[in-house]
Amino acid sequence: MYLGQVNQGINHEHAQKVAAFLQVFSKHSEKLLMETKENVREIEETCRARLQSPWNEIVFHHIMACKGVEAVDFVSAYGDQNMAVTIFLREFPNMTNWPLEILYILNADLGRLAVQADKQLERRGEKPSKLEDCARVINKAFSICITDRAPLHISRKWGTYNIIGILFRTYFKLKSHNLCKNILRAVKAADLPELEQFPMAHQVTIRYYTGVLSFFNDDFKKAETDLQFAFDHIPPKFHHNRRLVLHYLIPTRLLHGSLPSSRLLEEFPELSALYRPLALAIKTGNVQLFDETLSIGGSRLIGLGTYLTVERSRGVAVRVLFKKVFTLTDKSNKLNIDQFQKALAFVGVHVDEEEVECMLANMIYKGYIRGYLSHEKKVLVLSQKDPFPSLESQQ
């Protein structure tokens, strides 16, 4: 029954149907395992008799991968899935673009199995190597898509960004973010349709990853643009994906004093415990509260790679506090450094005068404050015009 449905899907070039039947982690695989109780040789012979090449081999290795998962032998399952993908990629250049959905699911499942296989290898005391191998295989899929010369309406180029998403996910798990640059260079040099012509899901995926990469490269303006696009175009039902974007978007926006709304934090309570007190600290200039909250949530932020960026937004909290000093002194353009020292002490941060002077110099350098320091007179001289400019322009 299963082989007949697969064959029908192939004959009618029904990619989504075939992809569903070739998905390892699905309800279909449970049903498939109940139907295929034969030994390995019988399964192989049945596939060969019922399906044309190369689908007979692809389906055989898919079945064996499912059996590997059932037996909790992820290393074996990965080996069979790898064979299925390799055989598919060998024949894919001779096809039109109808099996793109199959390409996606085969490669996505390869990545999932690689992660599980490496965990299993580590438990055995062996070197985890499957995820690296998986990246090489997916890279081949990327090359096939991006270099296709077929007419655009049947071109495999339409699969480029989806495969990039799967490949980048693998690179990120390997912590090999630098490899993403090579892929993006290839995309820039390729004759691809405009990104806006691709399905929105593909656009969101690539904008998420380019946003995170820009974040890691301290290009926060581009990071915010790409991450905001991704967040705005992910349907609300995909809560997990929206939260992944916010892990990077919120720290990016904090740098220019743009705080997460109460409504947003209510929608994502898992982020509220960290960002609600941070937002309050920045809004009120309560530097001590900022430091205490960062200390509590530090390990989590380090794991995400966002700690240093969130820490940078401490300067925004200090700026708010210093602006209050300016306001309370009737907006005088000459302020003694010890006035800022007293303000910090008032919120529980005790530092010497030299450190306060250093903080002020840093904020002048960043453009948070316009003015200059007189070290000899221990005075901050503020610009007559807009001494505390909008942080939006300082990105």
Side-chain angles (χ1 to χ4, degrees):
M1 183 179 178
Y2 164 74
L3 294 178
Q5 289 177 310
V6 172
N7 199 35
Q8 185 182 47
I10 293 166
N11 290 335
H12 289 87
E13 297 190 349
H14 196 317
Q16 288 186 328
K17 181 178 180 179
V18 179
F21 283 125
L22 292 177
Q23 191 169 4
V24 174
F25 299 97
S26 67
K27 291 181 180 179
H28 131 74
S29 63
E30 297 172 12
K31 186 179 176 183
L32 168 63
L33 291 168
M34 292 175 65
E35 288 183 17
T36 53
K37 298 294 184 183
E38 308 99 320
N39 62 41
V40 175
R41 180 171 290 181
E42 288 174 335
I43 294 170
E44 190 171 14
E45 288 176 354
T46 303
C47 288
R48 192 178 294 121
R50 299 283 303 277
L51 296 168
Q52 60 190 352
S53 179
W55 299 103
N56 55 351
E57 294 179 83
I58 293 168
V59 171
F60 166 69
H61 286 292
H62 166 69
I63 294 171
M64 297 311 298
C66 290
K67 284 185 173 291
V69 171
E70 184 186 36
V72 199
D73 184 352
F74 292 107
V75 176
S76 172
Y78 174 81
D80 277 297
Q81 185 69 12
N82 194 342
M83 283 299 298
V85 177
T86 301
I87 293 164
F88 179 85
L89 292 179
R90 185 182 68 206
E91 299 296 328
F92 189 43
N94 302 319
M95 305 177 188
T96 63
N97 66 358
W98 80 263
L100 280 175
E101 292 291 336
I102 302 167
L103 176 77
Y104 306 152
I105 205 65
L106 288 175
N107 282 277
D109 277 352
L110 186 69
R112 295 186 187 100
L113 286 169
V115 171
Q116 296 301 322
D118 276 351
K119 287 179 182 177
Q120 203 161 55
L121 287 170
E122 283 187 297
R123 287 194 292 270
R124 294 178 187 174
E126 299 176 43
K127 182 184 176 182
S129 58
K130 303 305 180 186
L131 199 57
E132 287 185 9
D133 179 66
C134 170
R136 287 190 288 270
V137 175
I138 300 171
N139 202 311
K140 291 176 185 175
F142 164 73
S143 296
I144 291 170
C145 288
I146 199 169
T147 58
D148 187 23
R149 295 184 178 181
L152 203 54
H153 69 285
I154 57 168
S155 175
R156 288 174 289 275
K157 284 182 177 178
W158 293 110
T160 300
Y161 285 114
N162 198 307
I163 286 296
I164 288 175
I166 298 168
L167 183 57
F168 279 12
R169 190 187 313 145
T170 308
Y171 285 159
F172 272 51
K173 285 176 180 173
L174 288 167
K175 300 190 185 306
S176 299
H177 303 130
N178 58 309
L179 295 177
C180 297
K181 294 178 183 177
N182 300 331
I183 301 300
L184 293 175
R185 274 197 292 267
V187 168
K188 194 172 181 179
D191 182 22
L192 284 174
E194 293 297 321
L195 179 59
E196 293 74 18
Q197 293 179 252
F198 285 77
M200 182 54 70
H202 299 197
Q203 294 183 48
V204 166
T205 300
I206 193 66
R207 294 289 288 271
Y208 164 73
Y209 281 113
T210 54
V212 175
L213 288 169
S214 295
F215 179 95
F216 289 149
N217 289 326
D218 291 350
D219 185 352
F220 297 111
K221 189 169 185 178
K222 185 177 188 319
E224 182 173 355
T225 300
D226 286 348
L227 292 168
Q228 191 67 58
F229 177 93
F231 184 78
D232 290 343
H233 291 86
I234 298 173
K237 65 179 180 179
F238 296 111
H239 182 89
H240 172 73
N241 291 350
R242 284 162 65 83
R243 178 165 54 82
L244 287 179
V245 176
L246 288 175
H247 279 314
Y248 300 96
L249 181 57
I250 291 176
T252 302
R253 291 176 63 80
L254 287 180
L255 289 175
H256 56 81
S258 183
L259 308 178
S261 67
S262 294
R263 183 178 176 182
L264 182 71
L265 294 176
E266 284 167 9
E267 186 182 345
F268 296 90
E270 57 271 55
L271 300 177
S272 182
L274 174 63
Y275 285 112
R276 194 178 292 278
L278 275 179
L280 178 63
I282 291 172
K283 185 177 181 180
T284 60
N286 190 334
V287 185
Q288 185 182 39
L289 174 61
F290 184 98
D291 292 343
E292 289 171 352
T293 305
L294 190 61
S295 177
I296 293 167
S299 58
R300 186 181 175 196
L301 294 172
I302 289 169
L304 290 165
T306 59
Y307 179 87
L308 292 176
T309 304
V310 174
E311 187 184 39
R312 281 190 193 185
S313 63
R314 183 181 192 265
V316 182
V318 174
R319 179 185 184 274
V320 170
L321 179 65
F322 287 2
K323 189 174 182 180
K324 286 183 177 182
V325 174
F326 170 66
T327 304
L328 290 171
T329 54
D330 295 326
K331 299 186 177 181
S332 169
N333 74 319
K334 289 184 180 180
L335 296 166
N336 292 324
I337 290 173
D338 69 351
Q339 290 175 281
F340 298 107
Q341 186 182 20
K342 289 172 184 175
L344 286 164
F346 180 76
V347 295
V349 179
H350 300 279
V351 292
D352 59 34
E353 210 169 75
E354 283 186 1
E355 188 167 344
V356 177
E357 190 173 344
C358 214
M359 292 166 76
L360 287 165
N362 193 36
M363 278 193 272
I364 291 170
Y365 173 75
K366 288 182 177 178
Y368 285 8
I369 295 175
R370 286 180 182 154
Y372 65 90
L373 284 165
S374 172
H375 177 71
E376 186 181 345
K377 296 181 179 179
K378 298 188 183 300
V379 167
L380 170 69
V381 181
L382 291 167
S383 169
Q384 293 282 3
K385 183 181 178 183
D386 200 13
F388 289 87
S390 167
L391 292 180
E392 292 283 351
S393 61
Q394 307 307 317
Q395 283 187 281

